[in-house]
Every structure is written in structure tokens, then in C-alpha cells.
Amino acid sequence: MPKTISITSVSLPAFLRASLLAACLALAPWLAAEDALLNDFSKRPEIEKRLAAVRSEISALPADADAALRERLQQLEALCQFHLSAADVAAKAQGERENAAQAATAWRGFPQPPPYSILLLDEVRETLATLANSQRAGEAQLRIFAAEIEAARDKLQGYQQAERRSLEAAATAATPELRLTAERSVKLDRVASRIAAEEIARVSLRHEAQQAELSMVRSKSELSERQLKALDGKTAFPQADLDAIHQRIAAERAEAVNALVAASQRQQPPNPLLAWKIEFLDLEKKFWDIRFGAFAKKDSGTRKAALASLAEFKSRVDDWTEIAQLRLAGGSAGATEIDPAQLREGLLRVSQMQRRIGFVIADLKGGHLQTPVLDRFISGARSLMDAELYLAEETDIVDGRKISTYRAVTPAKLARLALILTVGWLLLRFVSNRVRRIISGKANIPPATAELAAKCAFATGLALLVVYGLNTVHIPFTIFAFLGGALAIGVGFGTQTLLKNFISGIILIFERPFKVGDSVEIEGITGNIRSIGLRASIIKHGNGIDTLIPNSTLLENKVTNWNLTDSLLRHSITVGVDYATPTREVSRALLAVAADHGLIFKDPEPEVRFEDFGDKALVFRLLFWFDTTKTNRDTLASDLRFMIDKAFQEAEIVIASPRSEIQFDPRSALRVELAPTSTLSVDTTDPTIQPNLNSP
């Protein structure tokens, strides 16, 4: 449906609304084309429509129009033309891809029967090597296009933000001059947004064409590999081929020698390329002779001698290649100028010889006739890492309309993200530990505060690390919508307990009903809190054993915190003494013991309570206060019991011990019987006491 352009009348003066309406109407042809065929943005008819619309805008500009606006519209016109060229390139690449795929599918073998010439084998090998180089170059070009798309997207976002700021400035302008300046910025930024959108589409089209070209290269490589496999073990090197090679080399050498002689007769400086060519032709003749001998004899001695000679040849050819590349890169600095075209031709010849020497060395060493295994492994691994696992859609707003683009999620991006997260995780662990040590080293700062600060620093850094990693590898956040939709139900059921403990941990960290170092008692477990994590907390027992307790348990169950609000704690020790002991002596002895112990507070004072007249003893309780940060409750109680025992012995106070007494009523008669089994029975008529004593 066509785009409707409207400007609200709220908070805008009439003349400002009119100017903005005129600017929007000028953009209407391009906006309508984009809105009508948004999915066919890079189709040739739509590009031509936009090009015609831009040309109409340029022709409609008055003579005194803004020069910057005219320049940007002309830039947009040129970019549309480039977009048309990219569409032609993409169409051509797609056609070549289809032709290459059909050729690879239709090939059924060589027309002539084996054995095949070794020159045909070299030709197929060189074709495969050239295609491998083309594939690497194409993959590098894809990366360049991807970077250009990212840069254009950033520009688009910047222009859109600038346009919104200019609109706000125009609406709030204090003077007509400021309003005119803001309206001019709106027009310029809007055209710049169109330029960026066109650039994104153009480069995306080039990216698509490059992918088609890579697919064509892969089809041709597949065909060459099939041909190479068909030639494996079925090649021959007849004398006729060697004679033909000798004749070609001799003819080229004679031509080079004649050219040098003619230059000398004309008293001209010799061309260094001719001297190099003669030396190269002599080396090439030796190469073919050595190869022919190794192919014909195939014994170990000949193979070793050939390998040694070929290694020397390869070193010299590598030097020539480096010299030619440096000459091409830096120009000729010698006394005689060298024709760059002839130098490039010689470089191609030397590179061909370089590859052939490598082929022969691989054959003599028993290597595969195709590309080396390591190269094939690297190429396969690179293709696997660049495979598109998922396409995440991103939507941009251009002049109020959505333009959708896609970013691929590949194993290479995921590997880079995993590396970033791993390194960042280790750095965050180091930083959080450093924060904990720095804060805990300050005076009057408890360990719980240092632990909380370290965890907050780690959580904040982790969130920023995830955002940085995703932006660095260009993985959009919209991928989480897909993952969340696919895994929401399973993760929801599977992580109920985990989320419950996680939320409980956050509550414990911020509400702080427990702190690290607190002495707690829960479900029969008594110990000190060692750490409070996001999922579980660790309680350390007095015997050194650590117990992990889920955070939800600490919130849902009854927990005793011995030092929640204060580190001062009152404790008591109960002791029973004999009934004959003076009670005041017992009280004075217990208070003296409490006064002698250095860890018991004098204020509040210790207190002795006469608890009860027990069945076997008089029960006293010593109550005292102490600081839990300085001593352990059980250790202090043990010390006091030792001191009480010593003090009672010195005061001749008898601690009551458990005992049982049997009393007989003297008014009742006892009957004693002797049984044959030597059992002594004592019976009494008292119904409450009937002892039975047995002895062997």
C-alpha cells in the first residue's frame, strides 16, 4: 500500500509544518517505491525506479538550492547506478554458478582412454591450485563486504539519530534562523539515510554475488578433483612429450639469445629479463629431464637424487619469485628499466614452475596427487567454521519504514564469543577477588560487605562482557528471542529450583539476614556461614566439614542466627551438686569462676540461678555474656566446666552423680528360698518392690 505522509499539528507552528510537509513530499517517490516493493529492494526494476525518482528530485531543485543537498542527491544517483552494476554482476555470477554446477554434474570422464599424459595431470593440478587461491581470495572478499555492511549500518543509525535531533531542534527553535538551519539538517540527514540504505543493499548484493562466485569455484574444484582422481595411477610420461618440451624450450631460448645479440649489436643495454629467461629455461630443461628419469626408473636411488636436485631448483625459483614480486611492488631501481608487463608474464611463468616442482616433490615423497592433506584439512575446517547455523533478522528504520537485514551466526563467531567470554570470565574473577581484598583490608569494614561488593562487581562486569562479546562478533540480540522461544518451556520446567535458589540468593545478598561469619543453626546443623552464593550457601561446622544449603532453605525454614543484630551472646552452664552442699557456697564459687575467665563480660554481670531441687541434686545455672567474634561458644563452655570442676574440688563441693537406691519396708517379711539352680530369690509382700537377684 502507498506510504501516507502526515505531520501532526500539535506543538508545531504553521510555517514549520508547511516546510516539513514540503520536505516529506519531495521524498515521497522514493518512499513509495521502498514501501511497495520492500522485499525486492535490490531488484533491477526497483533500482531503476529509485534512480529515476532521484533524477527527478535533482531536476526539480531550484537554481539557488542548497549545494550540499544537491551534492548528496547526486551522490545518491551515482550510488543507484553502482547498485544497477552490482545487480548485473550478481546475475552474471549466478549464471556462471549454475553453468559450473551443471558441468560438474555432467562430467563422466575423459574422452580418450588411459594412459593419460602427465602434462594433462599438471594442467588439472594447476587448475585446482588456482581455484584454491580463488576460493581464499573470495572468502577474504566476503569478509571485506561484511565489514562494509557493518560500517554502512553504523552510518545509517548515525544519520537517523542526527535526523531525529534536527527535528527536535526545528520544533524548539527560538529564532527563524535556527529553525531554517535545523530544517536544512533534516533534509541533509534524510538523504544521507537513503544513501546509507542504498549502500547496504548494494554491498549486500555484492556479497550475494561473491557467494555465488564461491559456489562456482567450489563446483569447478569438485570437477577438478574428480578429474584428478580419474588420472590417479593412469598417467604416462612418453618420450614424445619430453621431446616436445625440449623443442619448445630450445625455441624460446634461441629467441632470447637472438634478442640479446641484437641489442648488443645496436649498442643498447641488455634487458635483464632476457638473461633471467635464458637461465630459467636451462633450469626448466633440467627439471623435465630429472622428472622424466624419476618417472621412468622409479627406484629409490633415482628418487633421492631427484629430490635433492628439485629442492635446489625450488630454492632458486623461490628467489626469482621474490625478486619479481619486489620489482613489481617497488618499481625498477636499476640502470635499465624493466617493462612491468614482461615482469608479470615472467612471474606467472616462474609461479607455474614453482607449483610443478611442488607437485613432483609430493609425488616422489609418496604424497597425494591433490592438494596437501594439511591444506585440505585447513580449507575444510575453514568452511565448517564459516557455515551459517542461524540467520538472525535485524530491522532498521529509514524514514519511518522498516528495512530488514540478516546476520549469520557461524561456528567461527561462536568460537570467538566463547574465547572472549572465557578470557573475560578469568579477568572478572581476578578483579572481583582484588576488590574483595582491597575492601576487606580497610578498617571497620566487615567481610560480608567486601563479599557483597565483589559479587556486585563480578555480576556487573559479566553483563557488560556478554554485551561486548555479542557486539564484537556481530551476533544480534534477537537471537535470544529464537532461543527463548525454542527452549522456554523446557528451561522453565527444568530450572524452577535453580531460579528459586537464585532469587533467594539475591534476596540474601541484599537483605542480609545472614552475613559471612555469622553463627547459625538450621535443621540440626550448627556452624558459621562461610559464603553466600547465588544458588547455595556454605556453612562450616566446627569439625571442619562444609555443608552446602540451598538459599531457598535459608528463607523458607526457621533459622537461628546467633549474631544477627549483635555479636554479644548470652550462654549458660548447668551443674548439679549434692543436697548436703551449702547453696551460697556454690553460688560464690560459680561467680568466682566467671570472674576469673577473661572472655566473659563483667557488664552485664554473670548471674547464678538456683534452678531446681532435682531428684538427685540441687541444680544451679551460671549465665554469662561473651563476644562471638572473639571465641567459640562450645570452646568457652568447655573451659568453664574445667574451671568449675577445679573450683568445686578446692571448695570441697561434691558434684552430684547419677545413682539409684532400693529401700525395703521393715514391716514386711522377706522370704528367702534356695533353688536347685543356685538362684537366690527374694520376695516381699510389698506390691511396689519385688526384687529378683540372679547369680551364677
Side-chain angles (χ1 to χ4, degrees), residues 86 172 247 385 442 457 507 515 539 550 567 576 625 675:
T172 59
Q247 291 177 2
M385 295 300 289
K442 302 294 183 179
I507 294 174
K515 303 184 295 297
I539 295 181
S567 62
W625 290 83

Side-chain angles (χ1 to χ4, degrees), residues 566-577:
D566 197 348
S567 62
L568 301 182
L569 180 66
R570 193 181 76 167
H571 193 41
S572 64
I573 294 178
T574 302
V575 61
V577 299

Side-chain angles (χ1 to χ4, degrees), residues 162-464:
E163 179 185 349
R164 289 191 291 269
R165 290 194 296 268
S166 299
L167 283 172
E168 294 178 0
T172 59
T175 62
E177 292 78 7
L178 294 177
R179 183 171 57 254
L180 290 176
T181 302
E183 291 175 1
R184 176 179 178 272
S185 299
V186 170
K187 295 178 182 179
L188 293 176
D189 293 334
R190 189 163 294 168
V191 176
S193 297
R194 294 167 59 185
I195 292 173
E198 197 76 33
E199 179 67 12
I200 292 174
R202 183 190 71 83
V203 180
S204 299
L205 198 59
R206 290 296 309 275
H207 189 277
E208 180 182 348
Q210 189 62 50
Q211 287 180 328
E213 184 177 345
L214 273 178
S215 179
M216 175 198 67
V217 170
R218 293 189 184 100
S219 298
K220 290 184 177 181
S221 299
E222 179 184 356
L223 175 60
S224 298
E225 288 177 356
R226 291 173 58 192
Q227 292 175 346
L228 195 60
K229 187 175 181 181
L231 293 172
D232 190 10
K234 300 176 182 178
T235 55
F237 196 178
Q239 183 68 42
D241 288 346
L242 181 63
D243 294 340
I245 293 172
H246 283 170
Q247 291 177 2
R248 175 184 59 79
I249 293 175
E252 292 183 7
R253 191 179 190 282
E255 181 181 358
V257 170
N258 293 334
L260 284 176
V261 172
S264 177
Q265 291 176 353
R266 292 192 299 269
Q267 295 183 354
Q268 294 178 350
N271 189 349
L273 287 179
L274 293 176
W276 292 351
K277 185 175 183 179
I278 293 173
E279 184 180 358
F280 173 78
L281 290 172
D282 293 340
L283 182 63
E284 185 180 7
K285 182 177 182 299
K286 293 180 181 179
F287 162 76
W288 285 109
D289 291 340
I290 292 174
R291 186 177 185 184
F292 180 80
F295 193 91
K297 296 182 180 180
K298 298 181 181 180
D299 59 277
S300 59
T302 304
R303 182 180 293 108
K304 290 181 180 180
L307 283 173
S309 300
L310 290 173
E312 180 183 355
F313 292 169
K314 185 177 184 303
S315 177
R316 294 173 62 183
V317 172
D318 291 344
D319 292 339
W320 282 338
T321 302
E322 183 178 3
I323 291 173
Q325 291 174 347
L326 293 175
R327 290 285 188 180
L328 284 174
S332 177
T336 304
E337 293 293 334
I338 300 177
D339 186 6
Q342 294 181 358
L343 188 58
R344 291 190 187 93
E345 182 181 356
L347 180 59
L348 292 176
R349 185 77 174 271
V350 172
S351 299
Q352 183 185 40
M353 175 60 64
Q354 195 177 29
R355 289 194 298 270
R356 288 187 174 180
I357 292 175
F359 295 153
V360 178
I361 291 176
D363 289 343
L364 294 178
K365 289 182 177 180
H368 201 274
L369 293 180
Q370 302 180 31
T371 54
V373 176
L374 180 60
D375 292 344
R376 290 189 291 113
F377 174 77
I378 294 175
S379 177
R382 185 182 294 110
S383 300
L384 180 62
M385 295 300 289
D386 292 336
E388 296 181 350
L389 301 178
Y390 174 69
L391 290 178
E393 182 179 4
E394 279 197 340
T395 304
D396 292 321
I397 305 298
V398 179
D399 290 335
R401 290 298 175 180
K402 294 182 178 180
I403 295 180
S404 298
T405 56
Y406 295 88
R407 291 189 183 183
V409 179
T410 63
K413 289 185 177 181
L414 295 179
R416 290 174 57 197
L417 179 61
L419 179 61
I420 292 174
L421 294 180
T422 301
V423 175
W425 178 279
L426 297 176
L427 291 177
L428 287 175
R429 289 290 299 272
F430 172 78
V431 172
S432 62
N433 292 333
R434 185 68 177 172
V435 169
R436 183 187 297 107
R437 287 195 297 268
I438 292 175
I439 296 179
S440 60
K442 302 294 183 179
N444 301 325
I445 296 182
T449 303
E451 183 73 18
L452 176 61
K455 290 185 180 297
C456 291
F458 183 82
T460 304
L462 185 61
L464 296 176

Side-chain angles (χ1 to χ4, degrees), residues 440-490:
S440 60
K442 302 294 183 179
N444 301 325
I445 296 182
T449 303
E451 183 73 18
L452 176 61
K455 290 185 180 297
C456 291
F458 183 82
T460 304
L462 185 61
L464 296 176
L465 176 64
V466 172
V467 174
Y468 169 77
L470 291 174
N471 288 333
T472 301
V473 301
H474 303 301
I475 294 180
F477 289 94
T478 53
I479 187 176
F480 293 108
F482 167 76
L483 295 178
L487 303 177
I489 297 177

Side-chain angles (χ1 to χ4, degrees), residues 81-112:
Q81 293 176 344
F82 294 155
H83 201 169
L84 284 175
S85 301
D88 295 337
V89 173
K92 181 180 178 181
Q94 291 173 358
E96 293 178 351
R97 176 185 61 188
E98 294 175 358
N99 294 335
Q102 292 176 0
T105 304
W107 191 80
R108 293 293 182 271
F110 295 104
Q112 67 273 19

Side-chain angles (χ1 to χ4, degrees), residues 513-534:
F514 311 102
K515 303 184 295 297
V516 175
D518 285 357
S519 179
V520 297
E521 181 177 350
I522 176 174
E523 296 182 348
I525 299 175
T526 303
N528 295 327
I529 294 181
R530 181 178 177 184
S531 67
I532 300 176
L534 294 178

